[in-house]
Amino acid sequence: MLALSDAVLGFHSGFWFVYAAAAVAVVFGRISRDRGVGAIAGAALGSSLSFFLITNFMVWATTRIYPATLAGLAACFTAAIPFYQNQFLGDAFYTLAIFGGYALLKRSFHPAHQAA
C-alpha cells in the first residue's frame, strides 16, 4: 500500500528512508512472532520509535529546514514530538485491537478445557 500510494501521490526524495523505516517494523514483527504479549508490545513501541528516529533524521539530514548541527537535529526531533504522540497512540490502539481481538476470538472459539 505504501508503494501504491507513492505511485499515485508521487515519490519524494526521502522515500527510501520511509521504506527502510517500514522494513524495520517488519523485522520487529518477525522477531516478536509467537513470543507473547510483552514481545508484541515491545515490537509496537520499537517500530514506532524507529520510524520516528529514521524519518526525522532524514528530514534533518536532507533538507535545509534545520541547521546541520546537533542543535538543529534536536530542534527537528523536538518539532516532531506531536506527530510521534499521534503515531504512538495509533500504534498502541491498533496493536491492542488486532492482537487483543485475535486473542479474544481464539479464546471464544477454542475455550480451554477444564479438568472434571
Side-chain angles (χ1 to χ4, degrees):
M1 291 309 301
L2 185 59
L4 180 61
S5 68
D6 281 342
V8 171
L9 298 173
F11 290 91
H12 51 87
S13 62
F15 80 95
W16 288 112
F17 288 92
V18 175
Y19 283 62
V24 169
V26 171
V27 171
F28 275 117
R30 290 288 185 177
I31 291 170
S32 69
R33 193 174 186 178
D34 299 326
R35 294 186 189 231
V37 174
I40 292 170
L45 177 62
S47 296
S48 64
L49 185 59
S50 66
F51 190 88
F52 173 83
L53 294 172
I54 292 167
T55 57
N56 286 295
F57 182 83
M58 179 272 306
V59 167
W60 172 77
T62 63
T63 66
R64 295 294 161 219
I65 298 171
Y66 301 98
T69 62
L70 285 178
L73 180 61
C76 180
F77 282 129
T78 300
I81 288 173
F83 299 101
Y84 178 66
Q85 178 184 355
N86 292 335
Q87 179 184 356
F88 174 77
L89 292 174
D91 288 350
F93 173 79
Y94 284 108
T95 299
L96 182 62
I98 291 169
F99 291 100
Y102 174 76
L104 287 173
L105 286 173
K106 187 175 178 182
R107 185 176 295 166
S108 296
F109 289 107
H110 299 289
H113 297 287
Q114 295 179 341

